[in-house]
């Protein structure tokens, strides 16, 4: 008898070219995403070895990480940093030389790679999608199998062969049931989950998120959940495709059309995990018990409900964790016992591949409408299309009237690699996925949270329970 398979196992098995139970297996790659980052190394190797891209039409290049969010009319020539300018220019040169479509600086569809893939319908259920970025798991929200790869040798291998060697991970299912409270979002769910299992809790596993809470979420919310799988240690995060997925994809520019849509839909409906599928690890979360979350340390697992306080390392029994928390609080310049909602903020950033979609901007606009920011704040849409949609709805006017900066699509202050960064010692409320030391600039102090919570901080000047507004 055939063993009942999970969503992950079903797609993985369909893509195995050379099976090897003892080690890595050779997988066929359906689609490959490339950003500017350090990917020029892979293209340089290809050029040196005289190789061509095996299937250029199954690759898409996107400029997002180093692209400035302001003064774009004359970019990349106007990029002041010569190294960053060369990196941005290199992707355009490499994409043209190797025949890969490129959504570059001035492309109408330019945006963050993990935002525009689903937005275009380029991301689809059942596909194995490789990308040289740790947040590739975002695409698993639509039932794809997302595989993050390295920017040099692994990318070179995929470009040249349309295949990838990978060791099959174990499986984990995280079931989230219950109704979320008012102003409790997908970002709060994933932060609460990471706080519970830690940044190493998902190492070596492909996570499937399931349960009534997940099924009730929009695709945007599901992408936020899957996006931060890597922050829990898992390289792969997935959600079974359902009618919400199909409705989202229908009619998008690169989605199947006509008879191809019917055939695709028939296949997509076969993908969800079998009711009897077994997972190596199971975890359950009651969504109705969750509150808006904020981080207080230098790891996403250092997150707590806004109603709580900064923890005291002295109360932590494990010596290693106690030492880590103490270091985090020293870096964050926080005192144990401080109420989280009393922490003053210097700057607010709403953006990133985690929370810069139209739904995120609508939520933040609802909070700031009719209010004024009391600290510098900026909104960076996740794509040029998101920006156009937001402007068509008048969201930009709401943000501008409140005192926010309204910028062009890019990764922006998420990693601080394009000039958007904090000054040393500045404290931010940020909708990004990471709060590591120096993530938003040397000496930057980052608190991660949902768009609604970041918007609340902008109009109050401190970490604030958005429910109080």
């Amino acid at each position: 008898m055939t063993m009942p398979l999970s969503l992950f196992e079903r797609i993985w098995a369909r893509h195995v070219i050379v099976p090897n139970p003892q080690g890595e297996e050779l997988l066929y790659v359906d689609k490959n995403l490339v950003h500017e980052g350090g990917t020029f190394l892979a293209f340089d190797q290809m050029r040196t070895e005289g190789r061509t891209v095996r299937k250029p039409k199954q690759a898409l290049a996107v400029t997002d990480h180093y692209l400035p969010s302001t003064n774009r009319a004359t970019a990349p020539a106007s990029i002041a940093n010569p190294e960053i300018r060369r990196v941005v220019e290199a992707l355009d040169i490499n994409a043209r030389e190797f025949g890969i479509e490129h959504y570059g600086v001035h492309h109408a569809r330019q945006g963050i790679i993990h935002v525009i893939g689903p937005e275009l319908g380029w991301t689809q259920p059942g596909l194995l999608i490789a990308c040289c970025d740790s947040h590739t798991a975002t695409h698993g929200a639509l039932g794809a199998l997302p595989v993050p790869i390295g920017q040099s040798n692994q990318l070179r291998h995929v470009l040249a062969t349309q295949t990838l060697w990978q060791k099959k991970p174990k499986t984990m299912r995280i079931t989230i049931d219950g109704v979320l409270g008012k102003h409790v979002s997908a970002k709060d769910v994933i932060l609460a989950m990471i706080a519970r299992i830690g940044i190493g809790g998902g190492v070596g596993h492909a996570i499937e998120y399931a349960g009534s809470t997940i099924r009730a979420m929009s695709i945007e919310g599901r992408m936020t959940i899957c996006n931060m799988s890597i922050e829990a240690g898992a390289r792969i995060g997935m959600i079974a495709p359902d009618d919400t997925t199909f409705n989202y994809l229908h009619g998008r520019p690169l989605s199947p059309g006509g008879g191809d849509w019917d055939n695709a839909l028939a296949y997509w409906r076969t993908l969800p995990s079998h009711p009897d599928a077994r997972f190596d690890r199971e975890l359950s979360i009651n969504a109705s018990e969750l509150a808006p979350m904020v981080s207080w340390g230098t790891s996403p697992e250092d997150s707590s409900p806004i109603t709580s306080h900064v923890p005291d390392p002295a109360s932590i029994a494990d010596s290693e964790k106690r030492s880590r928390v103490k270091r985090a609080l020293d870096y964050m310049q926080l005192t144990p016992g401080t109420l989280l909602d009393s922490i003053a903020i210097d700057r607010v950033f709403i953006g990133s591949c985690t929370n810069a979609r139209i739904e995120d901007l609508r939520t933040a606009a609802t909070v700031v409408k009719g209010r004024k920011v009391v600290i510098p704040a900026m909104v960076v849409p996740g794509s040029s299309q998101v920006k156009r949609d937001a402007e068509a709805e008048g969201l930009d006017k709401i943000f501008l009237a409140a005192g926010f900066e309204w910028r062009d699509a890019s990764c922006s202050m998420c990693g601080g690699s394009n000039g958007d960064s904090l000054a040393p010692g500045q404290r931010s409320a940020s909708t990004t996925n990471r709060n590591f030391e120096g993530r938003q600039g040397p000496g930057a102090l980052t608190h991660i949270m949902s768009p609604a919570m970041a918007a609340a901080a902008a109009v109050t000047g401190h970490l604030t329970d958005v429910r109080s507004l």
Side-chain angles (χ1 to χ4, degrees):
M1 293 180 64
T2 303
M3 177 184 255
L5 299 177
S6 67
L7 167 68
F8 163 76
E9 292 169 328
R10 202 183 302 279
I11 302 176
W12 179 281
R14 189 180 175 93
H15 288 80
V16 173
I17 300 170
V18 178
N20 183 359
Q22 305 306 316
E24 292 187 329
E25 298 181 318
L26 186 65
L27 304 175
Y28 179 76
V29 175
D30 292 298
K31 294 186 176 182
N32 181 35
L33 287 163
V34 184
H35 63 72
E36 70 273 36
T39 57
F40 60 87
L41 297 170
F43 287 105
D44 285 348
Q45 287 178 299
M46 296 270 289
R47 194 175 286 113
T48 299
E49 296 166 355
R51 299 183 186 276
T52 59
V53 174
R54 175 70 175 170
K55 293 193 173 183
K57 292 186 182 299
Q58 290 173 222
L60 178 63
V62 179
T63 302
D64 57 6
H65 279 58
Y66 293 91
L67 194 58
S69 60
T70 58
N71 303 319
R72 291 263 279 270
T74 56
S78 59
I79 298 175
N81 186 310
E83 291 185 15
I84 290 179
R85 184 169 63 250
R86 281 195 294 270
V87 168
V88 171
E89 291 171 339
L91 183 59
D92 186 55
I93 292 169
N94 289 327
R96 278 189 281 110
E97 180 178 338
F98 287 91
I100 297 173
E101 186 168 9
H102 178 210
Y103 288 11
V105 180
H106 304 294
H107 196 286
R109 286 284 188 174
Q110 179 275 328
I112 302 174
I113 202 165
H114 305 310
V115 174
I116 67 172
E119 168 182 283
L120 291 166
W122 196 88
T123 302
Q124 297 170 22
L127 300 182
L128 192 155
I129 297 177
C131 178
C132 47
D133 188 87
S134 60
H135 290 101
T136 302
T138 309
H139 303 267
L142 286 87
L145 173 53
V147 182
I149 61 174
Q151 295 177 349
S152 55
N153 287 335
Q154 281 191 313
L155 175 58
R156 164 177 158 270
H157 194 282
V158 172
L159 290 171
T161 70
Q162 205 61 31
T163 66
L164 179 67
W165 287 101
Q166 287 281 288
K167 183 178 181 180
K168 186 178 181 180
K170 295 180 179 180
T171 57
M172 177 191 299
R173 179 165 56 189
I174 298 178
T175 303
I176 307 163
D177 286 313
V179 178
L180 292 173
K182 189 174 183 180
H183 291 304
V184 180
S185 68
K187 185 65 165 286
D188 302 308
V189 172
I190 192 65
L191 284 176
M193 187 274 285
I194 296 169
R196 177 172 170 179
I197 71 173
I199 57 172
V203 170
H205 291 78
I207 298 178
E208 178 177 342
Y209 301 96
S212 62
T213 310
I214 297 295
R215 291 192 296 273
M217 282 184 184
S218 64
I219 293 299
E220 288 86 352
R222 296 179 189 187
M223 284 192 274
T224 295
I225 295 282
C226 288
N227 174 271
M228 291 189 66
S229 298
I230 187 68
E231 272 68 53
R235 298 171 67 247
I236 296 170
M238 304 174 71
I239 293 173
D242 57 13
D243 286 342
T244 300
T245 316
F246 310 145
N247 291 335
Y248 176 89
L249 286 172
H250 189 262
R252 292 193 176 268
L254 300 182
S255 289
D260 289 336
W261 171 261
D262 295 333
N263 293 334
L265 194 60
Y267 168 57
W268 295 344
R269 292 190 185 280
T270 70
L271 294 174
S273 296
H274 189 279
D276 297 326
R278 292 190 175 186
F279 294 80
D280 296 296
R281 187 179 175 192
E282 295 258 15
L283 179 69
S284 297
I285 294 176
N286 184 347
S288 63
E289 297 176 352
L290 302 182
M293 302 284 290
V294 295
S295 71
W296 44 261
T298 55
S299 164
E301 75 175 84
D302 300 337
S303 298
S304 299
I306 184 62
T307 51
S308 59
H309 54 268
V310 175
D312 186 351
S315 66
I316 300 174
D318 182 88
S319 60
E320 185 176 337
K321 184 174 181 180
R322 181 168 63 248
S323 177
R324 188 190 66 76
V325 169
K326 184 180 184 305
R327 174 188 167 90
L329 296 185
D330 288 344
Y331 177 82
M332 291 295 292
Q333 303 173 24
L334 294 174
T335 303
T338 301
L339 294 174
L340 290 175
D341 63 5
S342 70
I343 298 173
I345 295 297
D346 300 306
R347 193 167 178 181
V348 170
F349 171 62
I350 297 175
S352 84
C353 62
T354 313
N355 285 124
R357 298 174 181 84
I358 189 65
E359 180 178 275
D360 301 312
L361 304 193
R362 288 171 182 152
T363 300
T366 300
V367 176
V368 305
K369 188 175 184 179
R371 296 185 168 97
K372 294 287 186 180
V373 301
V374 295
I375 52 176
M378 57 193 283
V379 178
V380 181
S383 73
S384 298
Q385 186 61 54
V386 168
K387 185 179 184 185
R388 286 191 293 270
D389 291 344
E391 291 172 346
E393 295 179 19
L395 301 185
D396 60 320
K397 293 181 176 60
I398 294 174
F399 286 119
L400 289 168
F404 277 82
E405 292 182 63
W406 178 250
R407 300 197 173 193
D408 291 318
S410 79
C411 291
S412 187
M413 202 188 289
C414 179
S417 56
N418 72 336
D420 294 346
S421 61
L422 297 174
Q426 275 195 320
R427 190 180 300 278
S428 76
S430 178
T431 64
T432 51
N433 39 51
R434 289 178 177 166
N435 54 339
F436 304 153
E437 293 186 17
R439 172 73 176 179
Q440 292 189 299
L445 312 176
T446 302
H447 296 269
I448 51 178
M449 62 200 71
S450 71
M453 288 290 287
V459 298
T460 62
H462 58 88
L463 297 183
T464 299
D465 188 339
V466 65
R467 296 173 297 184
S468 70
L469 301 182

